[in-house]
Amino acid sequence: MPLWIPITIAAALCQNIRTTMQQKIRGILSVDGANFVRYLYGAPLALGMLAFLVFGTGRQVPHISLAFLGLVTIAGVAQIVATSLMIHSFSLRNYAVGTVYSKTETVFVALFSTFIAHESLKLGAWIGILVCLGGVAILSVRGSFANVRSVLADLTHKGALFGIASGAIFAVAAGTIREASKLLPEGDFMIRGITTLACMNTIQVVLMALYLARRDRPQLGKVWFNWRSSIWVGIFSVLGSAGWALAMTLENAALVRAVGQIELVFTFIASHVVLKERPSAGEWIGSILVIGGVVLILIVH
């Protein structure tokens, strides 16, 4: 099995945990405050990973060019904006609607890879991506096909528009992370992936801190005061982001993000194993579609 696959699955699991925790602290923090904790507590961990690789294993930090810094800045800003749009879409409609439409990211990433990065996908991979997206839509509304129709029919609702916008901008982030890692001339995939992540997270902390200091200064105090709950968002965020960065250093970003849709299957499993809820037929179908789409992508790849 290629190394990027288990790394992607681990990243999806961490992202699932982070998103759940981030949604919980929305009752304490604003949209931007909840977004900020992801980077504030994640950046030191990313820098710590980089320090361990350099001083603990003898690896060398790759040469960092202005073009690389430009791309990671674009990726960092795109990730900030996309995350804020996604969290905002949750508050405008509900978690299911925001999730369904933000997951259109996989299609946008595939378009980015094909037409901008010139890493074209096979027809089977495109089919697999669309099958995964269908499964995600079903799982996001807990297996209710009637709710799937209502969610997809209401494209003009602000929650849907914010969700689609977040998916498109997340795709920009994923594509530029992949392109940035390709600009690092030396080192194995691990040092290149973590260098990309550490630079991006550091830039994100600086930009968001400046933004909050100017637009919503009280949030800075709230983020610090609620560090016990916020720090876990940062921990699982950096673990997930490290996984995505490493996987995208190894493989086409579109394939990585498509396999990452298995994140919704983890939600399905957790709700029924931990909460002892009885799964509906629709949820089983949604899970099978996501897994089937992932398998199809891996077979044709």
Side-chain angles (χ1 to χ4, degrees), residues 6-65:
I7 292 175
T8 299
I9 293 171
L13 177 59
C14 290
Q15 177 171 293
N16 177 258
I17 297 170
R18 184 261 299 166
T19 301
T20 302
M21 290 181 169
Q22 199 168 34
Q23 182 66 7
K24 285 183 178 180
I25 63 173
R26 273 288 289 114
I28 304 171
L29 304 173
S30 68
V31 170
D32 291 326
N35 194 3
F36 183 46
V37 298
R38 171 181 179 182
Y39 313 114
L40 177 64
Y41 297 109
L45 293 173
L47 290 169
M49 290 181 186
L50 182 59
F52 172 77
L53 289 176
V54 173
F55 298 109
T57 68
R59 289 177 170 88
Q60 298 292 319
V61 176
H63 172 72
I64 294 175
S65 64

Side-chain angles (χ1 to χ4, degrees), residues 114-130:
T114 300
F115 296 107
I116 297 178
H118 304 294
E119 295 180 342
S120 59
L121 301 175
K122 296 179 181 178
L123 177 61
W126 277 100
I127 295 171
I129 288 171
L130 296 176

Side-chain angles (χ1 to χ4, degrees), residues 22-23 26 31 34-35 82-91:
Q22 199 168 34
Q23 182 66 7
R26 273 288 289 114
V31 170
N35 194 3
T83 302
S84 291
L85 287 172
M86 181 181 69
I87 297 172
H88 197 48
S89 73
F90 295 160
S91 62

